[in-house]
Amino acid sequence: MNESKPGDSQNLACVFCRKHDDCPNKYGEKKTKEKWNLTVHYYCLLMSSGIWQRGKEEEGVYGFLIEDIRKEVNRASKLKCCVCKKNGASIGCVAPRCKRSYHFPCGLQRECIFQFTGNF
């Protein structure tokens, strides 16, 4: 079985924001792939700056391939969040000269605007 049952992922933290929260309205659906020992919030994955949807919707997590997710987590591990000051901030500011990085929940806390256009 690749995915956990809805109640099982409550204690698992998202690999991007490291939060255990399971709040689909705030963070998107929380999805766990037991086979790869991987839990993500959909919005944390979707808003991460260094990852693209290279697979079909049913591949990996929403079309984001597992190896790409792992590479993005590794990239983000070197970036410090400008809000909480912890590493793992996968979302960068879009302003060309701005070097700020965020965890998705930290950006929400600071009322950052998250948006995207086009296809992944």
Side-chain angles (χ1 to χ4, degrees), residues 21-40:
D21 304 31
D22 192 3
C23 182
N25 289 337
K26 197 171 187 179
Y27 303 123
E29 182 183 9
K30 185 177 177 184
K31 184 143 327 219
T32 296
K33 296 287 188 171
E34 288 179 354
K35 181 178 178 180
W36 295 289
N37 193 30
L38 184 83
T39 298
V40 296

Side-chain angles (χ1 to χ4, degrees), residues 1-3 10 12 15 31 34 36 38 40 50 66 70 73 77 89 103-104:
M1 183 164 159
N2 285 351
E3 295 182 40
Q10 291 239 308
L12 300 174
V15 294
K31 184 143 327 219
E34 288 179 354
W36 295 289
L38 184 83
V40 296
I66 300 301
R70 295 221 186 274
V73 169
S77 72
H103 297 104
F104 184 75

